[in-house]
Amino acid sequence: MIEVMHLGKRYGETAAIDDVSFTVAKGEILAFLGPNGAGKTTTMRILTCFMPATSGTAKVSGFDIFESPMEVKRRIGYLPENPPVYPEMTVSEYLQFVAKIKGVPHKKVGAALASALEKCNLGDVARRLIGNLSRGFRQRVGLAQAMIHNPDVLILDEPTVGLDPKQIIEIRELIKGLGGEHTIVLSTHILPEATAVCQKVVIINRGRVVAVDSQERLSAQLRRSEKLSVRVRRGEAVDPQKILSIDGVQQILPQPAVDGEGVFIIESELGRDVREELAKRVVESGWGLLEMKPLAISLEEVFLQLTTEEKGVEEAAAAPVADGGVAV
Amino acid sequence: MRNILTLAEKELKLYFISPIAYVLAMVFLMVSDYLFHSQVFFYSTLSSQAMRAQGNLPQINLHEILFRPTFLNMSVILLLIMPLLTMRLFAEEKKGRTTELLMTSPLTITEIVLGKFLAVWFLYALLLGLTLHLPLMLSHVTYVAWKPLIASYVGLLLMGGVFLSIGLFASSLTENQIVAAVISFGILIGFWLIGMTAQTVSDSSVGEVFSYLSLIDHLDNFVKGMINTRDLTYFISLTILGLFLTHRVVESQRWK
Ligand SMILES: Nc1ncnc2c1ncn2[C@@H]1O[C@H](COP(=O)(O)OP(=O)(O)O)[C@@H](O)[C@H]1O
Ligand SMILES: [Mg+2]
């Protein structure tokens, strides 16, 4: 449904994104996960034909973003970081206007409005001025405008930013409900959001895709450990048992090495520094310690910059949510 | 075309929601009425003096003495008011981040620019329509020459088009409405100064160029009751130039 091919965007000398490629299948919800400044918004703005890419291209529903931007625009619903609303308009006035400019035939505008109001739970505030709504409701109006023309693809840029935990849960449920019917790309810098809502995750950092993974495998990565790389003179002499017996060490992985040297990756419990004890064992055993360094795998480096915990949301999710009736 | 009307309708809706259109309409009407009535007062003292001196009413062209000065003065008021009408058109969209909605919808930039322009031009036509009560009022008491009046209103409509397209252009340059208004004031006052200069150097060839560039000189031809292609071309091409420049600016902002 969406094919992104080697997208690049430069601002003068600096590249905001570089060689970004991924695909999204029909009906899939994909998380575009990365810390602030990673290039999520830039990618989404290119996909929605808001701004041109410097290199590469993308296809949405088979239409190229450069060759047929109008066809692409007709098939995409976009919620930018800030919902693009007119505060002086009422919710239904605004949604009717959006339906018309998105190309919904005039006769069907009423039906489109009714369906969007219902799906986004906006019935009660349809006649209210958007400027008087809470942040959560405004975000739902943003979602409603993105889906009012029933597009194939929804592009949602950080849809839960700035909301309180209760609103976050509501918006996520709403988005999950839209999956299947629409293909969704959702950007976020919150790891649990990606794993809670999406089937597939693309991780982007400093403008580059660093990993593409399924939600399950990403969650497995999350149970991460400290990794150390150790190089010794006499590799064949190493007795793994001696190292595994150190308190906190979980695994030892031999790596290919040359000239009889041995290289091992040693995984230990998170937050446990085993270096001192490890060095002692290696030296006492006479294996010839040459080098010991912590491994910074690129993905882990990214994880460190992501928001991995959500205060309040988990508790709120556990608490029973009153159905429908929501404070404005 | 459908898209242009949808966009224009939205702009008009926003104009009528905010107080600015009403405030400007009121100010414009009050000033126009004042200008007209001071002209009437001037004319009546003049004619009663003439009556006393000669014992009969001299041949006076009412249009020439009442409406022409009123319309020419009105154009100066418009020069002050119009930037306040156009300043929000693009600046507000940028500030409120709604540009992203328009630019990611299946609309062309031409449609967006024309929708906004038509909306504000229509609003201006309404504003101008309100001043029709002046000749209507007068027609109850005396004979009114409608032909030059119609020409005057055509001229005012077209000159307004120029003012508005310049204002639209200024609004596309910035997200600050005040800055947009100041830029369009600047450009319009530039045109006005050209007109002033044209009068002082009227008999040289420079004066001729200046006079051609002066908005007021072209308006004056309409107000005198003449509609000719030279003036039509001038107003219409300036309007199109303003719209074209706006289009370029909006397009170029995609690349930033
Ligand atoms: N208009 C711009 N001019 C220059 N640099 C920009 C502009 N917009 C974004 N950038 C840079 O591009 C990078 C990616 O930004 P963005 O796509 O907004 O990231 P994200 O949405 O992931 O936070 C950032 O380093 C940002 O500073
Ligand atoms: Mg962003």
Side-chain angles (χ1 to χ4, degrees):
Chain A
M1 185 58 62
I2 305 176
E3 271 179 90
V4 179
M5 291 163 281
H6 309 293
L7 272 192
K9 172 80 191 176
R10 314 190 125 268
Y11 289 107
E13 276 299 290
T14 53
I17 57 168
D18 186 20
D19 199 23
V20 168
S21 301
F22 60 89
T23 58
V24 195
K26 192 170 184 337
E28 204 168 44
I29 306 184
L30 175 124
F32 205 44
L33 179 66
N36 282 328
K40 305 182 293 294
T41 300
T42 306
T43 310
M44 295 187 140
R45 285 181 163 175
I46 294 171
L47 276 183
T48 53
C49 306
F50 179 68
M51 56 155 83
T54 339
S55 58
T57 187
K59 279 186 179 171
V60 176
S61 300
F63 291 98
D64 189 281
I65 53 169
F66 284 107
E67 283 156 23
S68 2
M70 283 299 166
E71 295 303 321
V72 171
K73 287 176 184 182
R74 262 187 259 284
R75 286 164 179 78
I76 284 190
Y78 175 40
L79 173 59
E81 259 172 304
N82 301 288
V85 294
Y86 298 99
E88 311 92 324
M89 285 189 175
T90 67
V91 173
S92 23
E93 272 174 344
Y94 169 70
L95 291 177
Q96 278 168 338
F97 166 67
V98 177
K100 287 181 199 163
I101 60 170
K102 296 284 179 184
V104 175
H106 274 203
K107 277 184 206 148
K108 296 192 177 156
V109 167
L113 171 69
S115 135
L117 286 176
E118 196 216 300
K119 280 190 194 156
C120 297
N121 233 326
L122 286 165
D124 294 341
V125 297
R127 287 156 180 278
R128 299 266 303 264
L129 288 184
I130 298 175
N132 295 341
L133 297 179
S134 70
R135 183 89 171 82
F137 263 90
R138 227 174 299 169
Q139 198 68 16
R140 284 204 242 163
V141 174
L143 268 179
Q145 68 78 29
M147 47 158 284
I148 190 131
H149 55 305
N150 198 22
D152 296 344
V153 172
L154 284 175
I155 305 243
L156 313 172
D157 198 355
E158 310 227 9
T160 60
V161 150
L163 302 183
D164 66 38
K166 195 158 165 269
Q167 296 167 331
I168 289 178
I169 293 162
E170 285 166 9
I171 293 286
R172 282 186 193 162
E173 286 308 313
L174 201 56
I175 293 170
K176 269 198 218 173
L178 293 172
E181 216 175 311
H182 308 268
T183 306
I184 301 179
V185 178
L186 165 158
S187 81
T188 178
H189 66 274
I190 304 162
L191 192 54
E193 178 155 289
T195 52
V197 184
C198 307
Q199 288 116 34
K200 190 175 172 184
V201 182
V202 169
I203 299 172
I204 181 172
N205 190 33
R206 296 205 201 106
R208 289 176 160 274
V209 172
V210 292
V212 179
D213 223 330
S214 70
Q215 185 267 114
E216 292 82 12
R217 296 215 349 234
L218 182 74
S219 305
Q221 287 268 13
L222 249 184
R223 282 183 263 114
R224 67 201 173 90
S225 48
E226 307 276 358
K227 290 193 183 73
L228 284 172
S229 159
V230 177
R231 195 151 66 93
V232 296
R233 177 80 68 204
R234 287 168 287 282
E236 72 287 352
V238 172
D239 174 10
Q241 236 24 70
K242 268 194 175 166
I243 290 174
L244 283 169
S245 66
I246 299 171
D247 209 16
V249 170
Q250 294 167 324
Q251 221 180 350
I252 170 164
L253 305 163
Q255 301 291 305
V258 286
D259 296 342
E261 290 182 359
V263 178
F264 300 87
I265 291 181
I266 289 151
E267 289 188 22
S268 60
E269 263 171 50
L270 197 58
R272 190 78 160 263
D273 193 352
V274 296
R275 278 178 296 181
E276 197 181 343
E277 188 58 28
L278 185 65
K280 216 169 97 192
R281 292 280 167 102
V282 174
V283 172
E284 277 174 358
S285 311
W287 298 334
L289 182 60
L290 294 176
E291 185 186 73
M292 180 162 78
K293 62 180 183 196
L295 273 189
I297 289 167
S298 62
L299 206 53
E300 309 216 326
E301 182 199 356
V302 180
F303 281 147
L304 290 179
Q305 297 173 51
L306 292 171
T307 309
T308 50
E309 277 169 25
E310 291 185 285
K311 283 243 153 60
V313 172
E314 278 139 43
E315 294 91 87
V321 178
D323 204 18
V326 185
V328 180
Chain B
M1 194 62 205
R2 197 199 95 159
N3 285 336
I4 297 178
L5 292 181
T6 305
L7 288 162
E9 183 195 337
K10 171 223 132 197
E11 292 304 335
L12 281 172
K13 202 175 261 171
L14 291 180
Y15 271 123
F16 286 121
I17 291 171
S18 87
I20 184 117
Y22 301 104
V23 173
L24 288 182
M26 220 168 71
V27 170
F28 178 64
L29 264 189
M30 274 163 38
V31 176
S32 311
D33 275 31
Y34 173 80
L35 291 173
F36 182 75
H37 286 108
S38 64
Q39 223 53 51
V40 170
F41 180 73
F42 174 69
Y43 162 68
S44 53
T45 31
L46 203 74
S47 51
S48 57
Q49 277 169 0
M51 285 248 279
R52 234 172 283 134
Q54 301 162 9
N56 63 345
L57 205 63
Q59 278 302 147
I60 308 179
N61 184 339
L62 261 190
H63 182 82
E64 191 68 19
I65 205 157
L66 285 185
F67 287 110
R68 192 168 158 219
T70 305
F71 287 144
L72 292 181
N73 288 333
M74 218 150 91
S75 70
V76 179
I77 306 306
L78 288 173
L79 189 147
L80 298 172
I81 282 179
M82 303 286 248
L84 300 175
L85 273 186
T86 49
M87 64 181 186
R88 54 162 287 275
L89 285 170
F90 276 104
E92 195 176 68
E93 305 263 12
K94 276 190 255 181
K95 191 105 188 170
R97 309 292 172 126
T98 42
T99 323
E100 272 182 88
L101 170 65
L102 298 183
M103 299 295 280
T104 58
S105 297
L107 303 169
T108 63
I109 295 178
T110 309
E111 285 170 335
I112 297 172
V113 171
L114 284 181
K116 287 178 180 294
F117 176 73
L118 286 183
V120 74
W121 204 31
F122 180 76
L123 188 71
Y124 164 66
L126 288 184
L127 207 68
L128 215 51
L130 293 176
T131 64
L132 279 172
H133 77 276
L134 298 173
L136 284 175
M137 202 170 61
L138 200 68
S139 70
H140 286 298
V141 291
T142 177
Y143 167 78
V144 169
W146 287 103
K147 249 186 169 167
L149 267 177
I150 290 168
S152 305
Y153 275 99
V154 170
L156 282 170
L157 267 179
L158 291 176
M159 188 192 65
V162 176
F163 284 15
L164 295 171
S165 85
I166 289 172
L168 192 63
F169 167 66
S171 183
S172 73
L173 294 173
T174 167
E175 61 169 59
N176 184 322
Q177 298 194 28
I178 307 294
V179 172
V182 171
I183 293 173
S184 34
F185 275 136
I187 301 175
L188 292 178
I189 285 172
F191 273 104
W192 192 61
L193 288 179
I194 287 173
M196 301 257 290
T197 319
Q199 282 173 355
T200 54
V201 292
S202 55
D203 40 27
S204 66
S205 58
V206 183
E208 207 144 281
V209 174
F210 274 45
S211 160
Y212 183 72
L213 287 176
S214 156
L215 285 159
I216 302 291
D217 283 14
H218 289 275
L219 178 68
D220 200 23
N221 289 337
F222 285 96
V223 170
K224 282 185 215 152
M226 299 179 289
I227 301 185
N228 54 49
T229 40
R230 196 179 127 102
D231 302 317
L232 283 173
T233 317
Y234 174 79
F235 280 151
I236 292 172
S237 40
L238 266 188
T239 306
I240 292 174
L241 178 68
L243 297 178
F244 173 74
L245 290 177
T246 313
H247 185 289
R248 299 318 305 159
V249 170
V250 175
E251 167 71 37
S252 75
Q253 277 162 356
R254 288 185 65 219
W255 295 84
K256 285 220 188 107

